[in-house]
């Protein structure tokens, strides 16, 4: 009995020794990153140059407490993003790493040429998160990143938070690197990215950039992007404002002294569900039904919203207005030859034998497709008006 206990103890000691040896071996082989010796990039911008090369501009926070500037800027020109990083390393006293990279910007000229290869390089880098946000900038990203902002602090973190809070608030679609590539490689849907501008000391999301494959073709407003999100499926939060002709409310506005031509309505806490059905195969015809619940947040005229007939008027006016705008945004998508709503995916899933449908086949069918929208709106609460 005593021999058995000693044997077990000896086996355990040997196992512990081996585990420690393997751990030390693995630790010794790993590429240790010493914080003081690394430069952690938070944002990178790429600009197409006239000679065909690409300028990359990176922003790194400065960890030196004696430094006057809180961020370090490095810009380099090369043919590839890997070459840009090598050039940046030659200008830095720290090893440039992308482990904290949050946002990658591309200027319009580069985006029009196609982002597939340059984004693919980032995607293959295991140190970079696939949740990195990609954006299109209207001018040169070098000018955007080197501008002396006084209030924004680390511009990389600022831009990341700006995009993140608008994605969470359903103002713009989520556009991480992973989502960009998922749409790029799927047949029947096109990628979309935030479209960034600078106005003086402020950086803004002006709209959503639309892509045909990996090539940027144009941008739409946040309100139009909101409508495309409604086609996608169900979502919550979000806000929407619209103008309804005063005559819609008839006798309810006749007593007003300053009767405006339109009544501005602002809705928030919106939740919606959509159902897209392929009802005809050639040419393709889609029926899109959207069930919408919303709360009135603001009115520009003193209407008695506790009266059921006024709520009903608002609901019918909202339905008519949204159905018209949905038709117009789909028409615009057809003119731009892009399908960010993913009608091609629905077509392929609902038509037998189209599993191998190519992107060019769908683009031809999409141009000839017709759509019918039916919005069913319900105003569930009156918000601050109650």
């Amino acid at each position: 009995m005593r021999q058995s206990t000693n044997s077990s103890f000896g086996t355990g000691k040997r196992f512990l020794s081996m585990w420690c040896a393997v751990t030390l071996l693995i630790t010794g082989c790993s590429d240790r990153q010493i914080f003081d010796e690394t430069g952690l990039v938070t944002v990178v911008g790429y600009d197409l140059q006239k000679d065909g090369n690409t300028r990359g501009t990176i922003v790194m926070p400065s960890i030196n407490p004696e430094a006057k500037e809180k961020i370090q800027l490095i810009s380099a020109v090369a043919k590839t993003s890997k070459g840009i990083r090598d050039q940046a390393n030659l200008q830095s006293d720290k090893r440039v790493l992308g482990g904290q990279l949050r946002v990658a910007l591309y200027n319009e000229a580069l985006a029009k040429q196609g982002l597939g290869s340059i984004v693919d390089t980032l995607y293959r880098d295991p140190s970079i998160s696939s949740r990195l946000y990609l954006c299109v900038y209207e001018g040169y990203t070098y000018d955007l990143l080197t501008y002396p902002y006084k209030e924004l602090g680390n511009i990389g973190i600022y831009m990341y938070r700006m995009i993140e809070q608008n994605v969470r608030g359903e103002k713009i679609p989520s556009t991480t690197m992973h989502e960009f590539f998922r749409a790029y490689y799927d047949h029947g849907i096109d990628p979309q990215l935030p479209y960034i501008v600078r106005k003086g000391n402020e950086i803004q999301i002006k709209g959503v950039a639309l892509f045909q494959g990996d090539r940027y073709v144009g941008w739409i407003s946040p309100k139009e992007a909101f409508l495309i999100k409604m086609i996608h499926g169900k979502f919550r939060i979000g806000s929407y404002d619209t103008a309804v002709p005063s005559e819609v409310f008839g006798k309810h506005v006749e007593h007003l002294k300053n009767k405006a031509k339109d009544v501005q309505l602002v809705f928030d806490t919106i939740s919606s569900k959509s159902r897209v059905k392929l009802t005809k195969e050639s040419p393709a015809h889609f029926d899109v039904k959207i069930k919408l619940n919303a709360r009135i947040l603001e009115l520009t005229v003193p209407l008695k919203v506790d009266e059921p007939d006024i709520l009903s008027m608002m609901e019918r006016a909202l339905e008519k207005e949204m159905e018209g705008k949905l038709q117009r945004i789909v028409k615009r998508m057809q003119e731009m030859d892009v399908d960010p709503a993913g009608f091609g995916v629905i077509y392929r899933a609902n038509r037998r034998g189209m599993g191998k449908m190519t992107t060019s086949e769908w683009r031809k069918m999409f141009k000839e497709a017709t759509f019918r929208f039916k919005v069913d709106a319900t105003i569930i609460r009156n918000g601050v008006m109650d």
Side-chain angles (χ1 to χ4, degrees), residues 30 40 112 147 353:
S30 65
L40 299 174
K112 285 178 179 175
Y147 187 84

Side-chain angles (χ1 to χ4, degrees), residues 26-199:
I26 292 172
T27 307
C29 291
S30 65
D31 185 13
R32 291 192 304 158
Q33 306 294 344
I34 301 172
F35 185 70
D36 288 349
E37 297 177 359
T38 56
L40 299 174
V41 182
T42 56
V43 58
V44 58
Y46 296 100
D47 297 311
L48 182 66
Q49 302 295 99
K50 290 182 180 179
D51 60 1
N53 287 329
T54 302
R55 174 183 287 278
T57 306
I58 64 174
V59 178
M60 299 183 294
S62 175
I63 59 173
N64 183 358
E66 298 177 357
K68 291 183 180 178
E69 299 294 335
K70 298 299 180 185
I71 58 173
Q72 185 178 1
L73 286 158
I74 297 178
S75 184
V77 177
K79 290 189 178 298
T80 64
S81 59
K82 179 69 169 60
I84 290 169
R85 186 184 293 187
D86 290 341
Q87 290 290 327
N89 269 305
L90 294 173
Q91 300 177 45
S92 176
D93 61 334
K94 299 180 177 64
R95 186 181 175 192
V96 177
L97 296 175
Q100 291 298 314
L101 184 59
R102 305 294 180 89
V103 179
L105 295 157
Y106 304 91
N107 81 323
E108 280 188 339
L110 187 61
K112 285 178 179 175
Q113 184 176 278
L115 298 181
S117 60
I118 195 165
V119 176
D120 183 68
T121 305
L122 294 178
Y123 200 63
R124 291 175 187 277
D125 188 336
S127 69
I128 296 176
S129 169
S130 62
R131 294 193 58 76
L132 164 76
Y133 283 122
L134 309 180
C135 305
V136 174
Y137 179 63
E138 69 168 356
Y140 281 98
T141 66
Y142 175 84
D143 298 335
L144 175 77
L145 297 177
T146 57
Y147 187 84
Y149 304 98
K150 295 180 180 177
E151 306 290 338
L152 304 187
N154 186 328
I155 187 173
I157 301 300
Y158 176 84
M159 291 187 66
Y160 171 78
R161 289 174 178 165
M162 179 181 71
I163 297 167
E164 178 78 0
Q165 70 95 0
N166 279 287
V167 168
R168 287 185 177 179
E170 301 279 5
K171 301 287 186 185
I172 58 171
S174 180
T175 52
T176 62
M177 182 164 62
H178 173 73
E179 288 160 329
F180 176 87
F181 265 117
R182 189 174 61 185
Y184 173 53
Y185 285 117
D186 203 350
H187 298 303
I189 187 168
D190 286 311
Q192 46 188 328
L193 299 179
Y195 184 74
I196 307 291
V197 298
R198 180 176 68 82
K199 289 187 177 179

